Amino acid sequence: MKRSVLVLLAVLAVTSAAHADSGKRYVTNFGIAIAMSIVAELMVATEMCSLGDREEWQKVVAAYDRRYRFCVAQDPGWSSGNPEFEQAEAKAKAEGSDRSIASFTVEQALKKSRANAHMQGKAAFCAKMPWPLLLQPGPVTPEALALYEKAYRDPQLDMGLAAYSRLRKPAVDTAWVEAPCDHIWGKP
């Protein structure tokens, strides 16, 4: 968990600091790759560990797709610049689909996450993280937090829960999708 939290926090810090046009593609691609790899792992946990609601994470992916399209329409500098992706997105648009960068990225990340989870085995995968805390919507009860802090002995657990909660927020806070695009991922 500590590694995932540190990576997520680093992404948020790096993407918040980069504003120059030359860094926009990097911010777009790096931010979405990290966020969707975490979402993919959470989706796999809902499947393998029978926890949470996978549909909630689909809403997160859809919010990131809408945000990407909104910001690229405002400023093409936020475009991923990946011809393969642009071709796939054009095809999706022609078919009337709302799928965009997050959808395509999470599909690739899901393949890797599922393979890693199956390699570990269900019991090991489901025990490696405090999935119930990460996958349940709403606030974490003090009792549940104390139980997991004792089990995982991770002083960063509350910080990690806040980071995962922030990742979930765009599915609920739809105003974020059309917030000013000073920064593509803004503050969900």
Side-chain angles (χ1 to χ4, degrees):
M1 167 127 173
K2 188 181 282 187
R3 183 175 161 254
S4 295
V5 170
L6 293 175
V7 169
L8 181 58
L9 292 174
V11 167
L12 296 173
V14 167
T15 59
S16 295
H19 291 287
D21 284 350
S22 63
K24 286 183 176 181
R25 285 188 174 160
Y26 175 79
V27 169
T28 298
N29 294 325
F30 183 68
I32 200 70
I34 296 299
M36 291 305 107
S37 69
I38 293 169
V39 168
E41 190 170 38
L42 291 163
M43 289 174 147
V44 171
T46 63
E47 296 166 6
M48 286 190 72
C49 309
S50 301
L51 297 166
D53 181 6
R54 187 171 196 257
E55 189 61 34
E56 178 183 12
W57 298 107
Q58 285 298 132
K59 290 177 184 176
V60 170
V61 172
Y64 274 81
D65 279 343
R66 289 190 313 275
R67 175 69 176 174
Y68 174 79
R69 284 191 178 176
F70 177 79
C71 287
V72 169
Q74 300 289 312
D75 179 355
W78 288 118
S79 172
S80 76
N82 179 332
E84 188 176 310
F85 157 70
E86 289 172 5
Q87 193 174 40
E89 185 183 43
K91 181 180 177 192
K93 282 181 182 179
E95 294 171 352
S97 173
D98 292 334
R99 296 177 56 211
S100 188
I101 195 166
S103 292
F104 296 120
T105 305
V106 84
E107 286 170 9
Q108 294 301 313
L110 275 167
K111 292 175 188 174
K112 292 178 184 174
S113 291
R114 280 191 185 110
N116 288 337
H118 288 291
M119 188 171 66
Q120 292 174 45
K122 182 177 179 173
F125 177 79
C126 292
K128 81 172 190 170
M129 296 278 283
W131 295 121
L133 292 182
L134 298 173
L135 293 169
Q136 71 182 19
V140 176
T141 65
E143 296 81 17
L145 184 59
L147 176 70
Y148 278 95
E149 282 179 335
K150 183 179 178 182
Y152 286 89
R153 291 181 172 72
D154 187 349
Q156 306 296 322
L157 184 60
D158 56 343
M159 188 168 65
L161 293 172
Y164 279 90
S165 177
R166 185 172 175 199
L167 186 63
R168 170 188 274 130
K169 191 175 178 184
V172 180
D173 181 10
T174 56
W176 168 77
V177 171
E178 295 184 3
C181 295
D182 301 334
H183 184 282
I184 191 167
W185 305 124
K187 283 191 174 188

